[in-house]
Amino acid sequence: LAASEIQRSAVEDVQVPDGPIVLHVDVDVINSAELPGLLFPVPDGPSMFAVLEAIRRIIATGDVVALDLAFPWHPAPEYAESRAQLVRALVG
């Protein structure tokens, strides 16, 4: 990533470029205290609210041509409700 043109920033500081946007979101960046069962948890990641707000803000530009969501979590049933809540929030 360091040698690529990919820009990295805090969720709250994401700058939206002009032109078509391919938006990719790995939900495992969400703070693992809020979203249990992640395969690659981030203990001090951004809140679910902050991630959802950033996604909504970017989609609101009207420039998103593709949205890719990665959900790397354990399939254990005890995490089903937290997964369902996140999916409802993303598509609702």
Side-chain angles (χ1 to χ4, degrees):
L1 285 175
S4 74
E5 293 184 33
I6 295 173
Q7 297 177 9
R8 298 185 319 170
S9 65
V11 170
E12 297 84 3
D13 299 329
V14 170
Q15 298 296 311
V16 182
D18 291 330
I21 298 169
V22 175
L23 179 57
H24 172 84
V25 179
D26 283 298
V27 300
D28 59 351
V29 301
I30 295 172
N31 189 314
S32 59
E34 288 187 46
L35 190 61
L38 296 166
L39 285 175
F40 309 104
V42 177
D44 295 319
S47 70
M48 188 179 315
F49 176 81
V51 171
L52 291 171
E53 285 301 305
I55 292 169
R56 289 182 185 118
R57 183 170 53 86
I58 295 168
I59 289 174
T61 67
D63 292 332
V64 175
V65 296
L67 173 60
D68 178 42
L69 301 169
F71 297 96
W73 47 42
H74 295 282
E78 62 264 25
Y79 305 124
E81 184 54 33
S82 62
R83 292 190 299 252
Q85 287 175 358
L86 176 61
V87 171
R88 282 193 298 271
L90 286 167
V91 299

